Amino acid sequence: MKRVAILISGGGSNMLALVRDMTGPHPARPVLVLSNDPAAAGLGHAAALGLPVAAVDHRPFGTDRAAFEAALMAPLRAAAPDLICLAGFMRVLTPGFVGHFAGRMLNIHPSLLPKYPGLHTHARALAAGDAEAGCSVHEVTAELDGGPLLGQARVPVLPGDSAASLSARVLLQEHRLYPAVLRRFATGDRRPVFLP
Ligand code: GAR
């Protein structure tokens, strides 16, 4: 059984989708929900489910990412995860931290990578006139939103879409895609999952 730590910064809807899937014969179990924001709503949702939660506020560390990450390592070491799932975790991680979990850290990103790494993905897809948008799960490497692809789900862009309406439609697919990828990845199978 693989031990999974989930890192969040906000509402944690992807975290909840992963947690809800990790039951029965699933090859993994959640062992920690960790946030860089002590006020992240997802921490409350996780605690309500009886999951171990922790927060390391990044703000006192200012621009010292390495010091912030050293603090993040304390609850992570205690939880001893096999896998890390970034689920709406909005801090950029240093190559040192990423290297520590090489091949064991996943991220979900709200675009069809390699399109639109970084922020404001939906606004960028709309501005480009794209006919479809979607989400990707990838292995985390030192390159921002750049590691090997582990899964993708596509959604049509509809006439009249705003960044908010498109984001909401993509988020529903994120909740299907990330659990499907983790289920496969946790068995050691790195073939990407493509959802229609
Ligand atoms: C999700 O849409 C996720 O793909 C995105 O943040 C949202 C978090 O929602 N992540 C990124 O933009 C990472 N760069 P959630 O907290 O409800 O899962």
Side-chain angles (χ1 to χ4, degrees):
M1 196 65 84
K2 293 286 195 302
R3 302 168 61 82
V4 179
I6 306 173
L7 272 58
I8 65 169
S9 296
S13 70
N14 277 292
M15 175 274 295
L16 287 172
L18 292 173
V19 166
R20 289 190 179 119
D21 199 48
M22 281 188 263
T23 59
H26 194 290
R29 288 292 184 269
V31 295
L32 176 67
V33 175
L34 176 59
S35 180
N36 63 298
D37 180 357
L43 285 177
H45 301 319
L49 292 173
L51 295 172
V53 299
V56 176
D57 192 341
H58 66 277
R59 285 165 292 198
F61 297 96
T63 55
D64 192 347
R65 290 186 191 276
F68 165 63
E69 291 171 354
L72 270 187
M73 282 304 289
L76 282 173
R77 274 207 194 86
D82 301 300
L83 304 175
I84 309 261
C85 288
L86 306 183
F89 185 70
M90 302 306 281
R91 305 304 300 169
V92 173
L93 296 167
T94 68
F97 187 90
V98 170
H100 190 87
F101 296 105
R104 303 193 288 138
M105 182 153 45
L106 280 53
N107 179 46
I108 187 152
H109 184 75
S111 79
L112 295 173
L113 289 171
K115 275 191 163 182
Y116 315 128
L119 299 175
H120 311 302
T121 54
H122 304 298
R124 289 155 71 197
L126 290 173
D130 291 356
E132 59 177 7
C135 50
S136 307
V137 176
H138 63 94
E139 197 179 309
V140 177
T141 62
E143 186 192 347
L144 181 70
D145 300 324
L149 189 67
L150 295 171
Q152 231 161 29
R154 320 177 85 84
V155 304
V157 174
L158 301 180
D161 254 337
S162 63
S165 66
L166 183 56
S167 155
R169 200 165 338 105
V170 169
L171 189 62
L172 291 177
Q173 296 309 307
E174 295 184 39
H175 299 162
R176 295 174 63 220
L177 179 67
Y178 210 172
V181 170
L182 180 61
R183 242 176 211 271
R184 178 175 279 190
F185 190 86
T187 68
D189 183 347
R190 286 157 190 258
R191 285 176 304 148
V193 174
F194 292 104
L195 297 184

